[in-house]
Amino acid sequence: MIVVDGQSNERLVLDGGWLEKLRGGQSVTRTPASSFREAQWQELERRVRLFGREKEQLVQVTLVFEGGPFVGFITDAAKRPELEAIVDGLEAARSAA
């Protein structure tokens, strides 16, 4: 099981053959890992405060599945290795199917 916490109280969980996105502890999306098609990555930067100089580095991944849904997820850039592990697990599940 791989778990990654993100922005807006969201969490991605890859558990066996399923990927689930949770928001506030409630399931938003649950889809078979074998239906994974691709991942689209984007690096983001945003201010911590509205008029402050301090910025935080984020990474956004959009996971595309056959027949939908699209699963968007944003987290700290430092957690990119965990997101890459989820994508690797999804690719492995697709190859096994």
Side-chain angles (χ1 to χ4, degrees):
M1 179 187 318
I2 304 171
V3 178
V4 181
D5 292 323
Q7 300 285 308
S8 304
N9 201 22
E10 293 183 336
R11 175 179 280 175
L12 274 185
V13 179
L14 179 63
D15 188 11
W18 293 90
L19 176 81
E20 187 167 22
K21 180 178 178 180
L22 304 166
R23 184 176 298 128
Q26 300 295 321
S27 180
V28 176
T29 302
R30 182 174 166 90
T31 187
S34 60
S35 66
F36 174 72
R37 291 297 157 241
E38 68 175 304
Q40 300 166 356
W41 296 89
Q42 184 176 4
E43 302 292 329
L44 305 171
E45 179 179 270
R46 75 172 185 193
R47 294 176 193 258
V48 174
R49 290 184 176 181
L50 183 58
F51 297 108
R53 294 180 188 250
E54 185 181 353
K55 296 182 179 180
E56 63 181 338
Q57 302 298 317
L58 303 170
V59 63
Q60 175 181 347
V61 64
T62 303
L63 305 171
V64 181
F65 293 88
E66 183 178 317
F70 294 92
V71 178
F73 190 75
I74 299 174
T75 192
D76 297 324
K79 294 182 182 178
R80 185 175 178 132
E82 289 99 353
L83 279 179
E84 289 174 348
I86 285 182
V87 171
D88 291 343
L90 290 169
E91 288 174 347
R94 176 183 63 198
S95 298

